[in-house]
Structure formats: structure tokens, C-alpha cells
Amino acid sequence: LYGAVRQGYLGLEMVHPKVKVPTHGSELPTTLTPVYPAGEGITQPWLRKRIARALLDVEIKDLLPETIRERLHLPDLHRAIKHLHHPPVGASLMALSDRTDPAWQRLKFDELVAQQIALRYSRELKAKSIAHAIAPTVTDLTDRLLASLPFALTRAQTRVENEIAKDLAKTTPMNRLVQGDVGSGKTVIAALAAARAIDAGFQAALMAPTEILAEQHFQKITQWLEPLGVTVAWLSGKQKTRDRQANLAKIVSGEAKLIVGTHALIQEGVTFQRLGLAIVDEQHRFGVAQRLALRSSSDEHLPHLLMLSATPIPRTLAMSYLADLDASVIDELPPGRQPITTKLVSIGRKAEVLASINEQVLQGRQVYWVCPLIEESEKLDLTAATETFNEIRDALPHLNVGLVHGALPAEEKQAVMDSFKDGHVQVLVA
């Protein structure tokens, strides 16, 4: 008999035990019984029988040399798998459940080794690809852009800019991730990289995951580059057909040197004349296929790829998790910027967060509350954002709360953003 044992009125009791009727000559199992996550219509006995048969029928070869196993105190692979599926009586349930058991450690180790081999192979394949070397002898636009900026680059920005310049000068396609907090100056690094590509006679494209973000980049970069004589084109899914056709013509003719937009950049009908550099902002919001689509080329040369992210990844983790990328970190904020404090708060303490928002606004500051996307689509975030907007407005009726999301008409979206920028909206939910 087996089941959950609990304290009853008369001592320990087992309510509704499962009963296994012994047959003549049968013995109790000599190992603990595994319980597997199973889909609908799949029973535990069915799964157990097949896994037990597989363990008997298949010889699992161990590719890890014995010297390494001994040094790391890891069991051989066959023994580890057998131990996890059929733990012997007396095995530590704690170690099995929190995955500190040597058998679990062995499987984790193998997964990490396999991932590293796959990433190394990926890097070797990329090394076989060819890119145009972007090493302009005259850096007229880059120099004029630097001279026209109303601020000086920080040491961190200068270092990252030099790392990108070295990568662009190679005939191996650049594959670099630039990390930096919000406000650390990633956009100007992207603009300088684009200027370097334009100086060398190429086009550059910058793709952002949402229309609002892409539009912010477009406005900022246009403000820097158009006075220097650079045509910057804009592409988005909600653009009027006539404007889109005009911009597509500028892109294919090469008149547009820098193209900024959303997923619309990788839609059918977009043909670049000579794309040398692809820039992807918030790269983790795009699928691999989408990032690769921006890199597709009409000749055998791949454009260089520069990715931007405000999501902090520790360097050691970046080196292992993103081993096929080179990572640069802008670890210094421009002068005058406030240091950033990051805190993680349980959803059960939402009332404290609302009180903190109220306090910040009373001190003359502004707040924005970002709701996550469920998928890579702007429209599916609507419910979460609207509910949060109503909740904050009900809790803090004396504050001016704004709402912005992908499904709003462009004019309304812009009006809310302008109102937030002007300080009229105190709390913006997005």
C-alpha cells in the first residue's frame, strides 16, 4: 500500500492508499519509483515500462575522459542516468530534488559542455563568412558627427567605439553586443558606427522591436545626421502606402544612407542597395530568424551586426551564454546622470510600490511602469497595461496617469509621449 501519510485522530493514517496486489513470486522493487511529468493520456506505468526498457536495451557511451570525471568527482554517464531514473533505497531525496546529487551534476555538466561545443562550432562557421571591410580612409562624416555633438563621449563610450571600429575593419562579419544601462549612450555609439559605414560607401540599418522605440531612435539620429547631409529613411508597418513606397525607392537607389524602423525592415519588398552594417536594438526581443533576415545580402558578403541591449548580463555569463558574440560594456554614465538603483519587489508588495510612486511624484519626479509583452507582438500587451493603468489611477486619483501601447493611433501615442516629456503626465504606464 502506498500514498500520502498524515496525522489523524488515532495517529498516522493513509487516506485512499493505492494498492498493489502481489502475484506469486513477485518481490518489492529494489529502487525508488520514479514519477514523471506526463501529458494527457500517458500513464505513469506506461512511461516507466518504456524508460526501464530503454535503459536495459541501450548502451550509453561516455564521451567524457575518466581523468576529467575523477577530477570533478562525477559518475559515468550510464550510471548517472540509471541513478536518476531508479534511485536506490537510501538515496538522498533532498539531493535528488534540489539537483545537487552527483548524478544531476553530471547531466548539467554534459549539457553545458555540449552548449559550449555548439557555440564554438557556430563561431567557427561565422569565421568562414565574409564581410566588406569598413575601414574608410577619409572619415569625414564620422569626424563631423563627433564635432557636432553637444557633449563629449565618456571614456567607456570611446573604448566601445574603438572596439567596433576594429571589428568593422575586418573581413570577418562583426557580431558584437553592446550592453549599457538606459541613459549610458548606446544610441550615439550606433550613430557613430553607422557614420563609419556611410563614410566607406555603405548603407546602415537600425531595427527596434516597437514603433515607439524605433521612432525615438529615428528622431534622435535624424537630429544628428540630417544637418550633416545624410538622408535617413523611416520604415514601419503602420506607414501610409505612399510614404512607404517613397522610402523603399530611396533605399534601393542608395539615396537613403541610414534606414531606421521596426520589423518592417525585414518584410518583403525591402531591398538595400549596399547594406554594410545592421544594428539591432533590444536584440533579445527578436527571434534568431529575424536578426538573420536583416543580415541577408544580395552578394556573398554578410553585413556586420551590432546589437544593443540595456539588459545587464555579467561578463562571465555573457562569455559562456553568448560565446558566439563579442561583448562590449558601457560601464560609465555620462556626467550629471544619477546612479541607477535596481530593486526586485514581490508582487504582494504592490501597495508599497504605489506608495513609493506617490512619494516620488510629490518630490517633483516622474515614474513609468512597463508591463511585459506576452509575445513578440505589441497588441498582446494591451490587457496588462490597461489593467495596471486603471489600478494606479484608482489607487492614486490625485495624480495624472497616462497610458501608451502599440494599439493606440500614432497621433494619440505621440500626444501621450509629448505630455510625459513635458512633465504634465506624472506616471506613464506602457
Side-chain angles (χ1 to χ4, degrees):
L1 299 98
Y2 57 102
V5 178
R6 58 184 67 123
Q7 188 67 43
Y9 287 115
L10 303 173
L12 295 175
E13 63 180 23
M14 193 188 289
V15 181
H16 303 304
K18 287 185 172 67
V19 180
K20 185 173 182 180
V21 181
T23 54
H24 180 69
S26 67
E27 293 177 2
L28 285 170
T30 55
T31 64
L32 298 176
T33 307
V35 179
Y36 297 108
E40 197 178 337
I42 297 175
T43 63
Q44 289 295 321
W46 187 91
L47 258 180
R48 285 175 193 144
K49 193 182 291 182
R50 276 150 186 81
I51 290 169
R53 191 188 304 152
L55 287 170
L56 284 174
D57 294 350
V58 177
E59 186 194 346
I60 300 167
K61 287 183 181 175
D62 200 328
L63 301 176
L64 199 61
E66 195 174 339
T67 50
I68 294 177
R69 285 206 318 265
E70 285 174 0
R71 195 176 79 224
L72 300 172
H73 308 293
L74 294 172
D76 71 71
L77 189 59
H78 189 271
R79 207 168 90 232
I81 291 172
K82 196 174 173 186
H83 177 84
L84 290 174
H85 287 280
H86 298 136
V89 175
S92 166
L93 290 177
M94 183 64 78
L96 285 167
S97 61
D98 67 12
R99 304 198 173 191
T100 55
D101 187 285
W104 269 121
Q105 296 298 314
R106 174 62 210 265
L107 262 62
K108 289 179 186 182
F109 183 85
D110 280 38
E111 281 190 16
L112 286 167
V113 170
Q115 186 215 28
Q116 289 299 298
I117 292 168
L119 288 170
R120 180 176 285 195
Y121 179 60
S122 164
R123 190 180 267 262
E124 282 173 8
L125 284 181
K126 280 185 183 129
K128 291 177 186 173
S129 305
I130 317 168
H132 290 287
I134 296 177
T137 47
V138 179
T139 54
D140 175 57
L141 177 63
T142 312
D143 295 340
R144 284 190 296 135
L145 173 58
L146 267 171
S148 67
L149 290 172
F151 52 83
L153 295 186
T154 62
R155 281 169 306 180
Q157 284 174 316
T158 304
R159 171 175 41 78
V160 171
E161 209 254 324
N162 289 336
E163 287 169 353
I164 292 167
K166 281 179 191 166
D167 281 358
L168 290 175
K170 296 173 187 172
T171 51
T172 305
M174 173 172 75
N175 210 31
R176 185 169 287 278
L177 172 71
V178 173
Q179 298 181 106
D181 259 325
V182 174
S184 63
K186 296 185 295 293
T187 307
V188 73
I189 294 297
L192 285 164
R196 201 171 284 277
I198 295 165
D199 269 330
F202 294 94
Q203 289 171 304
L206 191 160
M207 182 167 75
T210 64
E211 202 160 311
I212 287 179
L213 192 55
E215 216 168 322
Q216 284 175 339
H217 282 308
F218 177 68
Q219 287 170 1
K220 181 63 74 181
I221 290 174
T222 303
Q223 186 184 317
W224 289 332
L225 292 179
E226 278 201 341
L228 304 177
V230 176
T231 301
V232 185
W234 165 253
L235 275 186
S236 84
K238 294 173 185 170
Q239 212 166 15
K240 290 176 183 167
T241 308
R242 190 178 56 192
D243 294 340
R244 180 179 166 79
Q245 292 306 325
N247 280 329
L248 289 175
K250 286 179 188 174
I251 295 165
V252 75
S253 70
E255 181 191 341
K257 298 296 181 193
L258 176 60
I259 303 91
V260 181
T262 57
H263 299 76
L265 288 180
I266 53 175
Q267 301 302 317
E268 210 175 317
V270 182
T271 308
F272 296 98
Q273 190 207 46
R274 200 176 185 219
L275 184 65
L277 172 66
I279 304 165
V280 180
D281 192 18
E282 294 298 322
Q283 56 89 25
H284 59 279
R285 296 271 297 276
F286 291 101
V288 175
Q290 290 170 318
R291 294 202 294 269
L292 290 177
L294 189 57
R295 282 188 105 168
S296 60
S297 177
S298 52
D299 61 13
E300 73 280 5
H301 293 80
L302 272 184
H304 294 278
L305 179 64
L306 178 65
M307 290 164 284
L308 313 175
S309 179
T311 307
I313 307 168
R315 182 167 168 74
T316 44
L317 180 61
M319 283 165 70
S320 58
Y321 185 61
L322 307 168
D324 57 335
L325 296 180
D326 295 303
S328 294
V329 183
I330 304 177
D331 50 9
E332 182 184 0
L333 287 173
R337 289 286 166 100
Q338 293 295 318
I340 289 170
T341 308
T342 304
K343 291 183 183 180
L344 182 68
V345 180
S346 153
I347 198 78
R349 295 172 61 194
K350 198 183 264 190
E352 289 174 48
V353 177
L354 289 168
S356 180
I357 286 173
N358 189 47
E359 193 182 312
Q360 292 296 319
V361 173
L362 290 176
Q363 289 175 31
R365 299 191 180 103
Q366 285 173 291
V367 176
Y368 71 94
W369 186 305
V370 183
C371 299
L373 293 175
I374 301 164
E375 281 179 19
E376 287 165 8
S377 150
E378 288 189 45
K379 287 174 186 169
L380 292 176
D381 67 343
L382 187 54
T383 312
T386 310
E387 282 175 1
T388 304
F389 167 70
N390 289 329
E391 194 177 337
I392 295 173
R393 204 171 47 171
D394 292 346
L396 307 169
H398 53 288
L399 299 186
N400 195 355
V401 186
L403 172 67
V404 69
H405 53 72
L408 281 180
E411 299 79 20
E412 198 177 324
K413 205 187 309 182
Q414 195 57 53
V416 177
M417 292 295 284
D418 289 344
S419 188
F420 185 58
K421 203 188 281 184
D422 298 340
H424 178 60
V425 166
Q426 297 160 310
V427 182
L428 178 63
V429 180

